[in-house]
């Protein structure tokens, strides 16, 4: 049995009838052997995108399940094509966006992969490999396109149905930590690690973008931003725990924050703002909460913390030490959270555990 695989053999499975299936790492091949340890001639090659074979087990009948090095589980029969049963990210993921009117959501990660997921079946609708690691994502309000911020200073827009590239732009050479459309879909704000928020006008139903200005004033990288419900103002957080307010029409900072105290905000992704400061535990520092989201009904607030937990509060959350429900599950820091469009489900993404959780909202 010398030389059947090009490279190391990662797994061997003894089938119930006494035959064998071997799985190679470098060549990504599955090879069938008879009881006399002779090749039967049946073999399959695993697709490169799913990664090399890591482990093999027998299912019902002649079905074989294959676990790969890229967090995928494939199902098939040796000699025939194998189809993914489970797919997942293989590196830290921070990009999460819920579709505005369907039970779909999108994730993107440092592994350069983008997935559009069906929240009802827990399976991917499609996936795409990008040229650069991805950091953030946001659907246009009409749901037909989605913007994705990359770590290279570029950001791009994909068609939600076909996953085709609609447009790509470059602003600076550092990662874009947040991208956010205005509620009417006429503007896109891109928060960058270079301390700048880039503002674009959006036309043709989210398919044409023109830069209208830059919002400068932060002394550290931009971490989160929200639009006001009337599309007039932006609030933003930065790495040095600033809260700044901006006039979108003037592309200027609003220094008198008190003048915006009665403004209604469309989202609550800024972890530092007057409506959410009650979610911060005592003795915490500014990095303990990574992300937050308000339900579409405006009644619930969820956050993602550094201790593997998702926490749920009433919104607004303006009192210190506000009561909450805490939900463990992630084995690493939770990077971000979001609600589906009908508030039926809360989504959370993990950092080092590379996982996506769906939480049923029951009250």
């Amino acid at each position: 049995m010398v030389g059947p695989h090009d490279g190391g053999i990662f797994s061997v499975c003894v089938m119930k009838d006494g035959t064998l299936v071997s799985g190679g790492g470098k060549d990504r091949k599955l090879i069938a052997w008879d009881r006399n340890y002779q090749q039967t001639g049946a073999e399959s090659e695993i697709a490169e995108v799913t990664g090399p074979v890591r482990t093999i087990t027998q299912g019902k009948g002649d079905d074989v399940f294959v676990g790969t090095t890229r967090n995928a589980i494939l199902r098939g029969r040796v000699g025939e094509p194998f189809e993914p049963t489970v797919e997942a990210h293989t590196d830290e993921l921070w990009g999460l966006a819920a579709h505005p009117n369907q039970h779909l959501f999108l994730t993107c990660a440092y592994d350069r992969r983008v997935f559009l997921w069906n929240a009802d079946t827990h399976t991917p609708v499609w996936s795409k490999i990008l040229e650069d690691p991805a950091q953030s994502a946001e659907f246009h309000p009409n749901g037909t396109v989605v913007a994705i911020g990359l770590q290279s200073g570029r950001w791009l827009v994909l068609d939600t149905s076909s996953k085709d590239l609609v447009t790509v732009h470059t602003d600076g050479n550092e990662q874009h930590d947040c991208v956010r459309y205005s509620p009417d879909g006429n503007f896109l704000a891109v928060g960058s690690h270079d301390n700048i928020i880039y503002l674009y006008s959006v036309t043709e139903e989210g398919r044409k973008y023109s830069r209208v200005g830059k919002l400068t004033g932060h002394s550290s990288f931009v971490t989160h931003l929200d639009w006001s419900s009337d599309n007039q103002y932006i609030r933003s957080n930065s790495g040095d725990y600033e809260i700044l307010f901006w006039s979108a029409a003037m592309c200027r900072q609003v220094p008198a924050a008190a003048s915006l105290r009665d403004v209604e905000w469309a989202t609550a992704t800024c972890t530092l703002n007057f409506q959410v400061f009650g979610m911060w535990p005592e003795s915490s520092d500014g990095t303990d909460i990574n992300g937050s989201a308000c339900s579409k009904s405006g009644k619930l607030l969820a956050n993602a913390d550094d201790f593997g937990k998702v926490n749920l509060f009433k919104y607004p959350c303006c009192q210190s030490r506000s009561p909450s429900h805490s939900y463990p599950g992630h084995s690493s820091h939770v990077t971000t959270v979001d609600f589906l469009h009908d508030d039926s489900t809360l989504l959370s993404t993990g950092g080092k555990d590379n996982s996506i959780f769906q939480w049923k909202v029951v009250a």
Side-chain angles (χ1 to χ4, degrees), residues 37-206:
Y37 310 120
Q38 301 298 314
Q39 291 180 239
T40 65
E43 64 177 58
S44 299
E45 184 172 338
I46 303 302
E48 183 176 3
V49 68
T50 59
V53 176
R54 174 60 69 184
T55 186
I56 307 169
T57 189
Q58 185 175 5
K60 292 183 179 180
D62 293 330
D63 282 354
V64 173
F65 287 93
V66 179
T68 75
T69 60
R70 294 183 181 174
N71 292 353
I73 298 175
L74 311 177
R75 180 180 182 177
R77 297 183 177 184
V78 180
E80 301 176 6
F82 276 69
E83 298 296 331
T85 298
V86 175
E87 292 183 86
H89 288 286
T90 60
D91 206 344
E92 195 161 335
L93 65 153
W94 287 78
L96 171 66
H99 195 279
N101 51 52
Q102 298 182 44
H103 274 208
L104 302 174
F105 64 93
L106 181 137
T107 58
C108 55
Y110 295 176
D111 60 5
R112 301 186 296 115
R113 297 192 75 183
V114 178
F115 284 95
L116 180 68
W117 301 91
N118 184 313
D120 296 327
T121 63
H122 308 155
T123 57
V125 178
W126 54 254
S127 65
K128 187 180 182 73
I129 299 179
L130 305 177
E131 294 181 2
D132 304 307
Q135 184 71 32
S136 55
E138 170 81 347
F139 279 99
H140 187 274
N142 65 19
T144 61
V145 296
V146 59
I148 298 174
L150 307 178
Q151 292 188 348
S152 61
R154 300 195 304 162
W155 59 270
L156 52 84
V157 178
L158 299 179
D159 184 281
T160 304
S161 298
S162 66
K163 68 180 178 182
D164 291 337
L165 180 66
V166 174
T167 186
V168 60
H169 292 262
T170 301
D171 290 301
N173 57 10
E174 297 191 56
Q175 70 185 36
H176 297 314
D177 293 286
C178 48
V179 289
R180 190 74 55 194
Y181 284 99
S182 60
D184 62 7
N186 291 331
F187 292 94
L188 174 69
V190 180
S192 178
H193 223 66
D194 63 6
N195 308 355
I196 298 173
I197 299 173
Y198 299 90
L199 190 62
Y200 282 77
S201 66
V202 182
T203 55
E204 299 181 8
E205 299 296 315

